[in-house]
């Protein structure tokens, strides 16, 4: 009996020791100012157990509501951010509000900058991944754009949010 208990304990220890945990995948990126703005900041994408948590912190904004979207390309070379292309829309949906009806995978939404021009936004989703290779989910190789104005969630194809005031490439 003692040998059986000892064998069970050894088997459990081996199983626990060999258990592989799902690693976290983390990406930190920095914004550069565009369109003669002074907007700076950073964003973090953290993927764990198939869920990505996105957090962005910006400063130098005009107080009020601003839009932020994932765009097609990780190219921030143009002075106005236009080199990032249009909204990332791998599932060919209409532009809209995240989680309501149709929306692009890049339609993150609006956030508010306080009286000092500081703003933060956070989104958690299983609709994105970091480097998984699924073209309908993978955010790597895309661009992150902060807009001067508010996304109206209606105007096609991009919500009429105005100038691009900050850009970051979503790359490792």
């Amino acid at each position: 009996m003692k040998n059986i208990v000892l064998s069970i304990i050894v088997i459990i220890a081996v199983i626990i020791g060999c258990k592989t945990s799902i690693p976290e995948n983390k990406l930190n990126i920095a914004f550069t100012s565009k369109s003669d703005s002074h907007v700076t900041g950073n964003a973090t994408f953290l993927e764990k157990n198939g869920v990505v948590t996105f957090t962005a912190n910006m400063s130098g904004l005009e107080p009020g509501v601003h839009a932020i979207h994932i765009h097609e390309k990780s190219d921030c070379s143009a002075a106005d951010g236009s080199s990032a292309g249009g909204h990332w829309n791998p599932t060919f949906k209409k532009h809209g509000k995240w989680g309501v009806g149709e929306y692009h995978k890049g339609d993150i939404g609006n956030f508010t900058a306080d009286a000092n021009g500081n703003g933060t936004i956070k989104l958690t989703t299983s609709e994105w991944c970091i480097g998984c290779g699924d073209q309908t989910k993978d955010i790597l190789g895309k661009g992150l754009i902060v807009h001067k104005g508010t996304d109206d969630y209606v105007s096609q194809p991009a919500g009429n949010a105005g100038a691009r005031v900050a850009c970051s490439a979503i790359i490792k």
Side-chain angles (χ1 to χ4, degrees), residues 69 87 93-104 106-109 151-159:
H69 303 115
H87 287 190
K93 304 287 185 181
K94 290 182 179 178
H95 174 72
K97 186 174 184 178
W98 185 272
V100 179
E102 285 193 36
Y103 56 93
H104 302 156
D107 287 342
I108 298 172
D151 186 331
D152 66 13
Y153 302 124
V154 177
S155 299
Q156 299 299 320

Short mmCIF file of all heavy atoms in Angstrom, two decimals, residues 69 87 93-104 106-109 151-159:
data_model
loop_
_atom_site.label_atom_id
_atom_site.label_comp_id
_atom_site.label_asym_id
_atom_site.label_seq_id
_atom_site.Cartn_x
_atom_site.Cartn_y
_atom_site.Cartn_z
N HIS A 69 -7.82 54.19 -33.04
CA HIS A 69 -8.12 53.06 -33.91
C HIS A 69 -6.83 52.32 -34.26
O HIS A 69 -5.76 52.92 -34.32
CB HIS A 69 -8.75 53.52 -35.23
CG HIS A 69 -9.98 54.33 -35.09
ND1 HIS A 69 -10.05 55.65 -35.47
CD2 HIS A 69 -11.20 54.00 -34.60
CE1 HIS A 69 -11.27 56.11 -35.24
NE2 HIS A 69 -11.99 55.14 -34.71
N HIS A 87 -8.58 52.13 -41.49
CA HIS A 87 -8.83 51.26 -40.34
C HIS A 87 -8.56 49.81 -40.71
O HIS A 87 -8.87 49.36 -41.81
CB HIS A 87 -10.28 51.36 -39.89
CG HIS A 87 -10.61 52.63 -39.19
ND1 HIS A 87 -11.78 52.82 -38.54
CD2 HIS A 87 -9.91 53.77 -39.05
CE1 HIS A 87 -11.80 54.04 -38.03
NE2 HIS A 87 -10.68 54.63 -38.33
N LYS A 93 -16.28 44.44 -42.27
CA LYS A 93 -17.51 44.94 -41.64
C LYS A 93 -17.60 46.44 -41.84
O LYS A 93 -16.63 47.11 -42.17
CB LYS A 93 -17.50 44.63 -40.13
CG LYS A 93 -17.32 43.18 -39.78
CD LYS A 93 -18.56 42.40 -40.07
CE LYS A 93 -18.39 40.96 -39.59
NZ LYS A 93 -19.52 40.15 -39.84
N LYS A 94 -18.78 47.01 -41.57
CA LYS A 94 -18.96 48.46 -41.58
C LYS A 94 -18.30 49.04 -40.33
O LYS A 94 -18.19 48.36 -39.31
CB LYS A 94 -20.44 48.83 -41.58
CG LYS A 94 -21.15 48.52 -42.87
CD LYS A 94 -22.60 48.97 -42.79
CE LYS A 94 -23.32 48.68 -44.09
NZ LYS A 94 -24.74 49.08 -44.00
N HIS A 95 -17.88 50.30 -40.43
CA HIS A 95 -17.35 51.00 -39.27
C HIS A 95 -18.46 51.16 -38.24
O HIS A 95 -19.62 51.37 -38.60
CB HIS A 95 -16.81 52.38 -39.68
CG HIS A 95 -16.38 53.20 -38.52
ND1 HIS A 95 -15.25 52.92 -37.80
CD2 HIS A 95 -16.96 54.27 -37.93
CE1 HIS A 95 -15.14 53.81 -36.83
NE2 HIS A 95 -16.16 54.63 -36.89
N GLY A 96 -18.11 51.08 -36.96
CA GLY A 96 -19.10 51.24 -35.92
C GLY A 96 -18.48 51.29 -34.54
O GLY A 96 -17.27 51.45 -34.39
N LYS A 97 -19.30 51.12 -33.54
CA LYS A 97 -18.86 51.14 -32.14
C LYS A 97 -18.51 49.73 -31.71
O LYS A 97 -19.28 48.79 -31.93
CB LYS A 97 -19.97 51.70 -31.26
CG LYS A 97 -19.55 51.89 -29.83
CD LYS A 97 -20.65 52.59 -29.03
CE LYS A 97 -20.16 52.84 -27.62
NZ LYS A 97 -21.17 53.55 -26.83
N TRP A 98 -17.35 49.60 -31.08
CA TRP A 98 -16.86 48.30 -30.64
C TRP A 98 -17.93 47.59 -29.82
O TRP A 98 -18.49 48.14 -28.88
CB TRP A 98 -15.59 48.47 -29.79
CG TRP A 98 -14.98 47.16 -29.42
CD1 TRP A 98 -15.28 46.40 -28.33
CD2 TRP A 98 -14.00 46.44 -30.14
NE1 TRP A 98 -14.55 45.26 -28.33
CE2 TRP A 98 -13.74 45.25 -29.43
CE3 TRP A 98 -13.30 46.69 -31.32
CZ2 TRP A 98 -12.82 44.31 -29.86
CZ3 TRP A 98 -12.38 45.74 -31.74
CH2 TRP A 98 -12.14 44.58 -31.02
N GLY A 99 -18.23 46.34 -30.23
CA GLY A 99 -19.14 45.51 -29.48
C GLY A 99 -20.62 45.73 -29.76
O GLY A 99 -21.47 45.05 -29.19
N VAL A 100 -20.94 46.68 -30.66
CA VAL A 100 -22.34 46.97 -30.96
C VAL A 100 -22.55 46.83 -32.46
O VAL A 100 -21.99 47.60 -33.24
CB VAL A 100 -22.72 48.41 -30.52
CG1 VAL A 100 -24.17 48.71 -30.86
CG2 VAL A 100 -22.45 48.62 -29.04
N GLY A 101 -23.34 45.87 -32.89
CA GLY A 101 -23.60 45.68 -34.32
C GLY A 101 -22.31 45.39 -35.07
O GLY A 101 -21.43 44.68 -34.58
N GLU A 102 -22.19 45.97 -36.26
CA GLU A 102 -20.97 45.79 -37.06
C GLU A 102 -19.92 46.81 -36.64
O GLU A 102 -20.24 47.95 -36.32
CB GLU A 102 -21.27 45.97 -38.55
CG GLU A 102 -21.99 44.79 -39.15
CD GLU A 102 -22.01 44.84 -40.67
OE1 GLU A 102 -21.02 45.29 -41.30
OE2 GLU A 102 -23.02 44.41 -41.24
N TYR A 103 -18.66 46.37 -36.69
CA TYR A 103 -17.52 47.26 -36.41
C TYR A 103 -16.26 46.61 -36.94
O TYR A 103 -16.19 45.40 -37.11
CB TYR A 103 -17.39 47.55 -34.90
CG TYR A 103 -17.27 46.31 -34.03
CD1 TYR A 103 -16.03 45.80 -33.67
CD2 TYR A 103 -18.40 45.64 -33.59
CE1 TYR A 103 -15.92 44.68 -32.88
CE2 TYR A 103 -18.30 44.50 -32.81
CZ TYR A 103 -17.06 44.03 -32.46
OH TYR A 103 -16.95 42.89 -31.68
N HIS A 104 -15.29 47.46 -37.24
CA HIS A 104 -13.97 46.97 -37.67
C HIS A 104 -13.24 46.41 -36.45
O HIS A 104 -13.44 46.88 -35.33
CB HIS A 104 -13.11 48.12 -38.21
CG HIS A 104 -13.69 48.86 -39.37
ND1 HIS A 104 -13.32 50.14 -39.65
CD2 HIS A 104 -14.60 48.51 -40.31
CE1 HIS A 104 -13.95 50.56 -40.73
NE2 HIS A 104 -14.75 49.57 -41.14
N GLY A 106 -10.42 47.18 -35.85
CA GLY A 106 -9.60 48.32 -35.44
C GLY A 106 -10.39 49.45 -34.80
O GLY A 106 -9.81 50.45 -34.38
N ASP A 107 -11.70 49.32 -34.69
CA ASP A 107 -12.56 50.37 -34.11
C ASP A 107 -12.52 50.34 -32.58
O ASP A 107 -13.47 49.90 -31.94
CB ASP A 107 -14.02 50.20 -34.56
CG ASP A 107 -14.24 50.56 -36.01
OD1 ASP A 107 -13.38 51.25 -36.59
OD2 ASP A 107 -15.28 50.16 -36.56
N ILE A 108 -11.44 50.80 -31.99
CA ILE A 108 -11.31 50.74 -30.53
C ILE A 108 -12.32 51.66 -29.86
O ILE A 108 -13.02 51.25 -28.95
CB ILE A 108 -9.87 51.09 -30.09
CG1 ILE A 108 -8.90 50.07 -30.66
CG2 ILE A 108 -9.79 51.15 -28.57
CD1 ILE A 108 -7.44 50.41 -30.46
N GLY A 109 -12.39 52.92 -30.27
CA GLY A 109 -13.39 53.81 -29.68
C GLY A 109 -12.87 55.16 -29.27
O GLY A 109 -11.82 55.62 -29.72
N ASP A 151 -14.90 59.92 -32.67
CA ASP A 151 -15.48 58.97 -33.61
C ASP A 151 -17.00 59.03 -33.43
O ASP A 151 -17.51 58.83 -32.33
CB ASP A 151 -14.97 57.56 -33.30
CG ASP A 151 -15.39 56.52 -34.31
OD1 ASP A 151 -16.46 56.67 -34.93
OD2 ASP A 151 -14.65 55.53 -34.45
N ASP A 152 -17.73 59.30 -34.52
CA ASP A 152 -19.20 59.36 -34.43
C ASP A 152 -19.84 57.98 -34.55
O ASP A 152 -21.05 57.85 -34.42
CB ASP A 152 -19.78 60.33 -35.46
CG ASP A 152 -19.58 59.89 -36.91
OD1 ASP A 152 -19.20 58.72 -37.16
OD2 ASP A 152 -19.80 60.73 -37.79
N TYR A 153 -19.05 56.95 -34.80
CA TYR A 153 -19.48 55.56 -34.92
C TYR A 153 -20.45 55.31 -36.08
O TYR A 153 -20.99 54.22 -36.20
CB TYR A 153 -20.11 55.03 -33.62
CG TYR A 153 -19.22 55.12 -32.42
CD1 TYR A 153 -19.61 55.80 -31.28
CD2 TYR A 153 -17.97 54.50 -32.40
CE1 TYR A 153 -18.80 55.88 -30.15
CE2 TYR A 153 -17.15 54.58 -31.29
CZ TYR A 153 -17.58 55.26 -30.17
OH TYR A 153 -16.76 55.33 -29.06
N VAL A 154 -20.70 56.31 -36.91
CA VAL A 154 -21.68 56.18 -37.99
C VAL A 154 -21.04 56.42 -39.35
O VAL A 154 -21.24 55.63 -40.27
CB VAL A 154 -22.85 57.18 -37.77
CG1 VAL A 154 -23.83 57.11 -38.93
CG2 VAL A 154 -23.55 56.91 -36.45
N SER A 155 -20.30 57.52 -39.51
CA SER A 155 -19.73 57.88 -40.81
C SER A 155 -18.83 56.75 -41.32
O SER A 155 -18.03 56.19 -40.57
CB SER A 155 -18.91 59.17 -40.70
OG SER A 155 -19.73 60.23 -40.28
N GLN A 156 -18.98 56.45 -42.60
CA GLN A 156 -18.21 55.38 -43.23
C GLN A 156 -17.11 56.00 -44.10
O GLN A 156 -17.34 57.04 -44.70
CB GLN A 156 -19.13 54.50 -44.08
CG GLN A 156 -20.22 53.81 -43.30
CD GLN A 156 -19.70 52.88 -42.22
OE1 GLN A 156 -18.72 52.16 -42.40
NE2 GLN A 156 -20.34 52.91 -41.06
N PRO A 157 -15.93 55.45 -44.12
CA PRO A 157 -15.58 54.19 -43.49
C PRO A 157 -14.85 54.33 -42.16
O PRO A 157 -14.40 53.33 -41.60
CB PRO A 157 -14.64 53.57 -44.52
CG PRO A 157 -13.90 54.74 -45.07
CD PRO A 157 -14.92 55.86 -45.10
N ALA A 158 -14.75 55.56 -41.60
CA ALA A 158 -13.84 55.73 -40.46
C ALA A 158 -14.35 56.56 -39.29
O ALA A 158 -13.58 56.85 -38.39
CB ALA A 158 -12.53 56.33 -40.97
N GLY A 159 -15.58 57.00 -39.28
CA GLY A 159 -16.11 57.68 -38.10
C GLY A 159 -15.89 59.17 -38.01
O GLY A 159 -16.21 59.78 -37.00
#
